[in-house]
Amino acid sequence: MFWTSWFLAVLAIALAWPVPILLSRAQWPARSPFTAMLLWQAIALAGGLSMIGAMLVYGLEPIGDNLLAGLKSLAGMVFNNAPTTELGFWHIFALSAAALLTAHLVFTLLLTFYKIQRQRRRHRELLALLASPSADGPRTMVINVDSPVAYCLPGGARSVTVLSDGLMAALEPAELRAVLNHENAHLDQRHHLLLWAFAAWRQALPWLPTTRLAQEAVSSLIEMLADDVALKTASKATLIKAIAIVASGSPGAPDARMAFGGPELSDVEPGQPGALGGAGSARTTASRVSRLLSPQPPLPEPVRAAVLVACLLLLAVPTALLIVPGLLG
Amino acid sequence: MASLGELERAVMDLLWAGHEAATANTLRDLLAQSTRAENGTAGHVGKDLAVTTVLTVLSRLERKGLVERERGTRPHRYQAVSSREDHTAELMHEVLGSAPDREAVLARFIGSVTDTEAETLRKLLGLS
C-alpha cells in the first residue's frame, strides 16, 4: 500500500509537470496528430487517476491491506460509526482531499457542460432568426457579416456550420468547399467533446501546467486533424489560400477591423495579444500553415505503435495498482 | 401551416423592419399581407393565421429575451429588444471573443492571428 501510494504520487507529479512540458515542445505531434491526441487524453486521465489514487491509497493505508478493503472499512466508519482511531490526521486529510478533488472534477465537468450547452442553445436561437440556410446543404447557414468568418456550432442533429457573407465573397468555390470540409470534420469527429473535457480539466485545475498545455495542444491538434480531412478533397494550395485569406481578413488584421464596420462591433477588441484566445491560437495558425507548406512524413508505424502502448500502460498501470491487489487479496 | 420557427423569424423580421411597437393584431395582418404579396410561392407564413398563434409566437420570443411588451397598454404592443445588427454583433462577439470556454462552444476555421502573422500570410499570398 505504502509503495503504491508513492508510485502513484510520483506518476501524478510527472504527468502534471515535466511530461506535458516535454510533449508540448515536441515536434512530432504535427506529424501524427491523432496519435498525439490519444497520448494527451491518456496523460490527462492517468494524471487525474494517479492524483486521486495516491491520496486515497495513502489515507486508507492503516485500515486496509488494499484499496477495496480500505474502502470497505472506511464505509464502516462513515455509515456505522465504527471507531476512526486508526486514522491519523494526515490520513484523514488525504482522504478528504481525495474526496474533494473528485467532487471538484466531476462538478466542474458538469458545470462546464451546462454552460456550454446554454451558450450553444442561445447561439442557435439567434442563428435561426439571423442567418439564412445556404445552398451548400442543410447543415450550413450564412450570416450577414462582412468580415470572413467560418465556424461550426456542435449540437448533435442540430449541428450547423456558419459562414459569413464576407467569407463567401472572398473565397473561390473550391476554397469554400475546403473550409466546409474542415468544419464538418470537427463535427463528424466529435471534437467538441474533447474540447469540453479539456476545457473543464483546465477550469478545474488552472494552476496545473498540464491543464493549460493540454488544452492548447488539443485545440491545435483538432485543427490539424480537420485540415487533414479537408486535404482529402482539396489541394494543399487551395487550403493554404483559404487559411491565409480568412486569417488576413479576420479581425487580427487592421484593415479587417474597418471591414467589420459599424459601432456595434467596436466592443469586440481584436488583435490584442492575449485576447481572442491569445497566443495559443496564434501559434496554432502558424503551425498549421507551416505544416502545410513543408509537410513532414507521419511517424513511422513502430513509433506510433509504441506511443499507443505507452497510452495503454498509462491507463492500465494506475488502474491495476489500485484495483488488482484488492481482487487478488 | 408554417412552423413556429418560421413564424418566429417572420415576426422578428417585421419587428426589426418596423422600428416601433406593434400589437399581435397588426402583426397578424402584416404577416397575411406579406403572404399575399408572395402569392403562391413556397412557405406561406401568414396563411390563415390566428391571432392566438401570433401571441404564442410572441410569448416564445419574449421568453427568449428577444421581444418585450409595453406595459400598461391594451392590447399589448410588442417590440424588439435590440436591433438585428446588435444581435449579429452579439453572435460575432461570441465567435471572435476572448471568453475562455469559447473554443468549447464553437470551433472557428481560423483562430486569432497576430498582426505580424497576418502580414506574413498576406505576403505569402502576394496580397497588399
Side-chain angles (χ1 to χ4, degrees):
Chain A
M1 281 292 270
F2 181 74
W3 290 113
T4 309
S5 89
W6 279 105
F7 175 78
L8 288 174
V10 169
L11 185 64
I13 291 168
L15 293 179
W17 187 57
V19 172
I21 287 179
L22 286 178
L23 183 54
S24 70
R25 289 188 188 150
Q27 298 296 316
W28 67 264
R31 293 166 61 189
S32 296
F34 185 74
T35 313
M37 180 74 87
L38 290 179
L39 187 54
W40 275 112
Q41 290 177 66
I43 288 176
L45 281 173
L49 198 62
S50 51
M51 225 184 286
I52 294 169
M55 293 191 281
L56 210 54
V57 170
Y58 172 78
L60 292 175
E61 204 203 336
I63 54 169
D65 291 334
N66 55 59
L67 183 76
L68 298 184
L71 282 176
K72 225 174 271 169
S73 347
L74 183 69
M77 289 177 188
V78 174
F79 296 113
N80 305 326
N81 288 323
T84 58
T85 41
E86 286 162 275
L87 287 179
F89 170 78
W90 288 111
H91 297 119
I92 293 181
F93 182 82
L95 288 177
S96 315
L100 277 177
L101 183 59
T102 312
H104 179 60
L105 288 179
V106 171
F107 179 73
T108 312
L109 198 66
L110 294 178
L111 185 72
T112 315
F113 181 75
Y114 169 75
K115 273 201 220 154
I116 290 174
Q117 290 299 90
R118 199 185 44 189
Q119 253 179 293
R120 283 199 195 127
R121 192 179 60 232
R122 171 77 183 166
H123 200 106
R124 235 188 326 264
E125 277 172 9
L126 285 175
L127 276 181
L129 300 172
L130 294 166
S132 20
S134 133
D136 293 297
R139 294 207 306 182
T140 312
M141 296 187 104
V142 181
I143 190 161
N144 184 9
V145 168
D146 289 339
S147 108
V149 178
Y151 62 94
C152 63
L153 191 69
R158 287 166 304 172
S159 304
V160 282
T161 300
V162 183
L163 309 173
S164 70
D165 282 339
L167 184 93
M168 309 273 277
L171 297 186
E172 306 282 330
E175 293 153 8
L176 204 57
R177 222 173 7 256
V179 173
L180 273 176
N181 286 340
H182 173 105
E183 294 305 321
N184 285 334
H186 284 316
L187 296 175
D188 291 341
Q189 300 185 2
R190 307 275 185 280
H191 288 161
H192 52 281
L193 297 180
L194 287 170
L195 290 175
W196 161 51
F198 280 93
W201 178 234
R202 182 176 180 177
Q203 191 92 36
L205 306 168
W207 37 267
L208 209 61
T210 183
T211 61
R212 181 178 56 84
L213 293 172
Q215 198 201 14
E216 284 173 6
V218 165
S219 3
S220 153
L221 288 172
I222 59 160
E223 297 304 330
M224 294 178 186
L225 285 170
D227 278 349
D228 287 347
V229 173
L231 282 179
K232 282 184 190 154
T233 47
S235 73
K236 262 191 187 118
T238 308
L239 183 59
I240 293 175
K241 195 151 167 250
I243 292 177
I245 290 177
V246 177
S248 58
S250 76
D255 53 357
R257 235 167 285 171
M258 319 249 287
F260 235 161
E264 312 87 33
L265 287 172
S266 58
D267 59 335
V268 181
E269 290 263 329
Q272 296 176 351
L276 278 185
S281 43
R283 267 207 306 280
T284 298
T285 309
S287 54
R288 267 168 80 185
V289 173
S290 68
R291 180 171 176 267
L292 293 169
L293 284 175
S294 46
Q296 306 273 332
L299 286 184
E301 190 78 47
V303 181
R304 265 184 292 163
V307 176
L308 287 186
V309 170
C311 293
L312 285 177
L313 284 179
L314 269 179
L315 293 179
V317 170
T319 315
L321 280 176
L322 289 172
I323 307 284
V324 171
L327 296 179
L328 293 179
Chain B
M1 192 70 221
S3 74
L4 281 173
E6 282 173 61
L7 281 172
E8 283 179 23
R9 202 182 152 99
V11 166
M12 282 316 291
D13 283 344
L14 285 173
L15 290 175
W16 277 327
H19 300 299
E20 53 189 59
T23 63
N25 267 315
T26 319
L27 287 169
R28 194 203 77 96
D29 294 344
L30 286 171
L31 286 171
Q33 255 176 43
S34 63
T35 312
R36 237 173 283 134
E38 279 172 31
N39 196 20
T41 48
H44 312 262
V45 164
K47 197 179 186 185
D48 302 328
L49 201 59
V51 177
T52 48
T53 314
V54 178
L55 281 169
T56 307
V57 169
L58 284 167
S59 75
R60 280 167 62 103
L61 289 168
E62 197 180 6
R63 210 166 42 240
K64 291 180 187 176
L66 295 164
V67 303
E68 57 195 1
R69 238 181 315 183
E70 274 182 11
R71 299 280 158 204
T73 56
R74 292 246 170 217
H76 289 311
R77 287 150 60 86
Y78 293 83
Q79 60 184 352
V81 168
S82 27
S83 69
R84 174 190 279 273
E85 290 72 26
D86 284 350
H87 282 304
T88 309
E90 184 191 331
L91 281 189
M92 286 305 111
H93 189 80
E94 229 176 277
V95 174
L96 307 171
S98 56
D101 49 2
R102 196 256 306 145
E103 288 191 42
V105 175
L106 47 89
R108 270 172 78 193
F109 178 59
I110 292 290
S112 60
V113 278
T114 58
D115 286 356
T116 32
E117 206 179 11
E119 191 58 37
T120 320
L121 286 167
R122 260 197 301 275
K123 278 195 194 122
L124 199 80
L125 273 177
L127 298 174
S128 84

